[in-house]
């Protein structure tokens, strides 16, 4: 049957309209590539885009900031490494897991629960090629052996090795079968590939890992080293040298990007090992800043970022690649903060505390997002944001709902990134190395401890006699947290304490059904909840 000649223009118009609508829809949902670069123990003030008085320039990170959005009130979910990394990948506060305080070690059991949705597994199910390069620090299920020559204190027939050899004890290496694959690492948590190390660079075992295997087993023990090149004594492989780690993982990240042909979107999680201890800049960087080894190491970190940005540009990938640069917590005291001050350099930019602390210096971090054409270039944002929001942001990018039992504390930043909203997060829970809590809401911050909760003064248990049990700060008026307003505003203390208690007991801070915290709701760091009945 032929169409009447008069109707042909109408059908052609309808066809073109349908094609245009389909094309527009396809353009709308076209997923971007994602590169997440995570520095280790780097302060905001270590980046010249944040700190015009920095003692060294960071031109590559600065260029990222000029091309995207720079956040001033961004936070890690914890003031130390492991819990921050758990939150980035799961969208859940790490204190809801079995890890209530401190960090994992190289032989630690897995922190991420089996079957839990991660950013990598979410993206993988939507067609992404997913890769991780660098520092894992979330534990593994190591293959176990029981050597016949194990010393008596390790020779317990029915006990786990960890009962006799703590996971941070070099002797634990004798219980590991390095010839067999380890489980519940990156490739079991959604990554197609992994190359890197098990924990921090100052934690044994000092071996390279690829996918689910040890590249070469340790053959001997290396002696410990003191600051600034500090690492713990422990087992090391013949092909492993601490000073080579940052260059090697940078090369691996670049190689992954060079293999991408544009047919599938990709996600690269590039977890740097620096400027965390051991502070050992490569020979080409040693002395470059004329300050300290830490300054030279920060410049080497900047160069690693530059290598990633370079290959994205050369491969014509940068226009559809969302790049995030952040740190896992604040600058560490291992950087020798007093020495840095002699060069008029302040990694914390006037904030109180440092890595491990409940104070802002422990968890306020550099956070930069570049996405050409979607995120305004050279823009600055004061919204309260957290790394934990990465999961929900990715879900909204994919226009896919998250399961009720996933990303319980994650809020999408997409409305902020695209200029549709000024604020998406109402509250934020802070957490210190000893498991102390704080709640942020607007300008107010309530610390549920009388001390730093970390390594700065007053150290845990060392608050001056007669100190209030909690600390309340107005960050708009007192960003350095110098004046405790606990006594002046009991109503705010009560409101924030009750709100935090509710958020903990609900197992989530986002809408949805009540979830369970691992291990229940009774651990020592929650003793303060009794005051908010």
């Amino acid at each position: 049957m032929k169409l009447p000649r008069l109707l042909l223009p109408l059908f052609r118009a309808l066809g073109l309209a349908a094609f245009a609508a389909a094309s527009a829809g396809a353009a709308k949902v076209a997923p971007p590539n994602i590169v997440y670069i995570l520095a280790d123990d780097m302060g905001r003030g270590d980046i010249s885009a944040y700190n015009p008085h920095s003692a060294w320039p960071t031109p590559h990170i600065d260029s990222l900031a000029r091309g995207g959005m720079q956040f001033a009130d961004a936070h890690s979910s914890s003031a130390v490494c492991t819990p921050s990394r758990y939150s980035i990948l799961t969208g859940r506060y790490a204190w809801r897991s079995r890890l209530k305080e401190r960090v994992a070690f190289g032989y630690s059991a897995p922190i991420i629960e089996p079957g839990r949705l991660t950013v990598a597994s979410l993206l993988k199910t939507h067609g992404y090629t997913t890769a991780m390069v660098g520092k894992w620090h979330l534990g593994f299920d190591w293959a176990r052996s029981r050597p016949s020559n194990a010393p008596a204190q390790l020779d317990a027939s029915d006990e786990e090795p960890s009962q006799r050899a703590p996971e941070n004890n070099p002797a634990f290496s004798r219980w590991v079968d390095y010839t067999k694959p380890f489980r519940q690492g990156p490739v079991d948590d959604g990554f197609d590939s992994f190359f890197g190390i098990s924990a921090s660079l100052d934690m044994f075992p000092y071996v390279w890992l690829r996918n689910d295997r040890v590249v070469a087993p340790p053959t001997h023990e290396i002696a410990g080293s003191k600051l600034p090149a500090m690492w713990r004594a422990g087992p090391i492989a013949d092909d492993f040298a601490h000073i080579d780690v940052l260059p090697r993982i940078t090369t691996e990240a670049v190689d992954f990007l060079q293999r991408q042909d544009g047919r599938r979107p990709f996600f690269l999680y590039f977890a740097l090992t620096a400027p965390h201890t051991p502070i050992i800049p490569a020979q080409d960087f040693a002395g470059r800043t004329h300050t300290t080894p830490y300054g030279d190491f920060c410049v080497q970190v900047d160069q690693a970022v530059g290598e990633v940005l370079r290959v994205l540009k050369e491969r014509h990938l940068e226009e559809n690649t969302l790049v995030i640069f952040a740190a896992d917590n604040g600058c560490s005291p291992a950087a020798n903060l007093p020495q840095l001050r002699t060069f008029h350099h302040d990694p914390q930019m006037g904030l109180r505390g440092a890595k491990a602390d409940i104070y802002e210096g422990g968890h306020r971090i550099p956070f930069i997002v570049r996405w050409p054409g979607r995120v305004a270039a050279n823009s600055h944002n004061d919204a309260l944001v957290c790394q934990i929001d990465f999961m929900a942001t990715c879900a909204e990018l994919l226009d896919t709902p998250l399961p009720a039992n996933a990303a319980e504390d994650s809020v999408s930043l997409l409305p902020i990134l695209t200029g549709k909203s000024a604020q998406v997060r109402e509250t934020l829970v802070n957490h210190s190395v000893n498991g102390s809590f704080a709640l942020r809401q607007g300008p107010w911050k309530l610390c549920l401890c009388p001390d730093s909760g970390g390594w700065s003064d007053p150290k845990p248990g060392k608050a001056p006699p007669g100190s209030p049990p909690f600390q309340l700060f107005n960050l708009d008026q007192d960003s350095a947290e110098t004046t405790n307003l606990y006594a002046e505003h009991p109503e705010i203390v009560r409101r924030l304490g009750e709100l935090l208690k509710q958020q903990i007991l609900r197992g989530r801070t986002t809408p949805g059904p009540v979830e369970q915290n691992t291990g229940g709701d009774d651990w020592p760091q929650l003793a303060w909840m009794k005051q908010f009945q």
Side-chain angles (χ1 to χ4, degrees):
M1 173 180 169
K2 293 184 178 181
L3 293 170
R5 186 179 298 273
L6 291 175
L7 293 179
L8 287 175
L10 176 61
F11 276 82
R12 289 195 187 100
L14 289 173
L16 288 173
F19 176 79
S23 299
K28 182 179 179 182
V29 299
N33 307 311
I34 302 172
V35 175
Y36 197 121
I37 307 172
L38 186 67
D40 198 358
D41 288 7
M42 196 171 195
R44 294 187 310 152
D46 295 325
I47 297 166
S48 47
Y50 276 92
N51 181 10
H53 304 294
S54 173
W56 50 79
T58 51
H60 301 294
I61 300 174
D62 292 0
S63 71
L64 192 66
R66 287 193 301 273
M69 184 174 290
Q70 180 178 329
F71 287 84
D73 199 3
H75 299 257
S76 55
S77 66
S78 172
V80 284
C81 305
T82 300
S84 292
R85 292 157 198 274
Y86 176 94
S87 295
I88 291 169
L89 293 180
T90 67
R92 184 182 190 228
Y93 287 123
W95 44 264
R96 298 196 193 280
S97 75
R98 70 173 182 83
L99 188 72
K100 309 301 184 186
E101 59 182 315
R102 307 192 185 280
V103 300
F105 286 86
Y107 291 122
S108 291
I111 307 296
I112 297 178
E113 300 83 0
R116 174 162 289 278
L117 185 71
T118 67
V119 172
S121 55
L122 172 71
L123 294 172
K124 186 174 182 178
T125 60
H126 284 79
Y128 276 71
T129 299
T130 58
M132 187 201 162
V133 176
K135 169 180 168 178
W136 177 238
H137 210 185
L138 287 166
F140 296 106
D141 181 9
W142 292 94
R144 303 295 176 87
S145 63
R146 190 162 177 264
S148 58
N149 62 345
Q153 64 267 27
L154 298 179
D155 191 14
S157 58
D158 297 319
E159 292 182 317
E160 282 293 306
S162 58
Q163 299 296 317
R164 294 285 181 165
E167 57 200 20
N168 61 345
N169 186 328
F172 197 88
S173 179
R174 305 186 68 171
W175 288 92
V176 176
D177 187 343
Y178 295 100
T179 68
K180 295 180 180 178
F182 49 79
R183 302 300 184 194
Q184 290 184 250
V187 296
D188 290 314
D189 284 322
F191 290 99
D192 293 314
S193 63
F194 165 59
F195 180 83
I197 61 176
S198 63
S200 295
L201 188 52
D202 57 11
M203 296 176 175
F204 50 80
Y206 304 119
V207 296
W208 289 114
L209 310 175
R210 187 175 294 280
N211 298 330
D212 60 353
R213 297 270 183 170
V214 173
V215 174
T219 57
H220 60 285
E221 281 206 9
I222 187 173
S225 180
K226 296 182 179 180
L227 286 172
M230 190 281 287
W231 61 70
R232 295 165 175 82
I236 187 170
D238 290 336
D239 66 344
F240 194 97
H242 290 78
I243 199 169
D244 295 336
V245 170
L246 182 56
R248 175 73 184 276
I249 62 174
T250 302
T251 298
E252 288 280 339
V254 166
D255 287 349
F256 168 80
L257 293 173
Q258 289 177 333
R259 293 194 299 271
Q260 305 313 303
D261 57 13
R263 297 181 181 180
R264 295 178 61 189
F266 62 82
F267 167 45
L268 170 63
Y269 173 41
F270 185 23
L272 306 177
T273 54
H276 191 289
T277 51
I279 300 171
I280 42 173
Q283 184 176 356
D284 291 346
F285 293 89
R288 181 175 294 192
T289 65
H290 303 288
T291 59
T292 70
Y294 178 79
D296 300 335
F297 216 19
C298 286
V299 170
Q300 188 176 351
V301 166
D302 182 69
Q303 181 64 35
V305 174
E307 286 296 296
V308 170
L309 300 182
R310 175 188 60 80
V311 73
L312 288 175
K313 184 174 183 178
E314 290 178 355
R315 299 284 295 169
H316 306 290
L317 295 168
E318 65 179 357
E319 290 303 314
N320 192 37
T321 300
L322 189 160
V323 180
I324 298 173
F325 174 83
D328 60 348
N329 43 249
C331 176
S332 170
N336 196 337
L337 303 179
Q339 184 182 20
L340 289 174
R341 283 195 286 270
T342 68
F343 296 97
H344 308 288
H345 183 85
D346 180 10
Q348 315 299 37
M349 296 178 62
L351 298 179
R352 184 178 183 180
K355 173 183 177 177
D357 296 338
I358 201 67
Y359 301 126
E360 292 293 286
H363 48 79
R364 193 178 292 210
I365 57 168
F367 193 76
I368 300 169
V369 181
R370 187 187 76 179
W371 189 13
R374 277 81 166 183
V375 174
N378 201 27
S379 56
H380 294 74
N381 198 292
D382 295 328
L384 177 66
V385 300
C386 183
Q387 291 175 330
I388 206 169
D389 299 327
F390 184 43
M391 173 80 93
T393 303
C394 288
E396 187 170 2
L397 279 172
L398 299 171
D399 193 26
T400 187
L402 286 165
N405 63 346
E408 292 93 335
D409 302 297
S410 188
V411 180
S412 174
L413 301 182
L414 197 58
I416 292 177
L417 296 175
T418 56
K420 296 179 181 179
S421 177
Q423 187 71 263
V424 294
R425 174 170 283 282
E426 179 187 358
T427 64
L428 177 66
V429 181
N430 306 132
H431 208 230
S432 75
V433 68
N434 79 339
S436 293
F437 283 86
L439 182 69
R440 169 80 180 279
Q441 185 180 51
W444 294 104
K445 177 181 174 183
L446 176 66
C447 303
L448 283 305
C449 57
D451 46 52
S452 71
W455 301 336
S456 298
D457 293 327
K459 294 181 173 63
K462 302 295 184 180
S467 296
F470 306 140
Q471 302 169 83
L472 180 69
F473 302 107
N474 185 318
L475 297 182
D476 282 356
Q477 300 173 0
D478 179 22
S479 61
E481 299 173 284
T482 60
T483 305
N484 185 358
L485 301 176
Y486 170 83
E488 288 85 345
H489 295 284
E491 75 288 355
I492 296 177
V493 171
R494 170 65 54 182
R495 173 170 58 82
L496 294 181
E498 291 176 349
L499 178 57
L500 178 56
K501 179 179 179 180
Q502 179 187 28
Q503 291 183 342
I504 292 172
L505 296 181
R506 285 194 68 246
R508 67 185 317 127
T509 51
T510 57
V514 172
E515 292 289 328
Q516 296 298 313
N517 299 315
T518 303
D521 302 315
D522 183 20
W523 65 90
Q525 291 88 345
L526 296 186
W528 58 266
M529 291 204 304
K530 297 176 182 178
Q531 300 190 40
F532 298 96
Q533 299 295 338

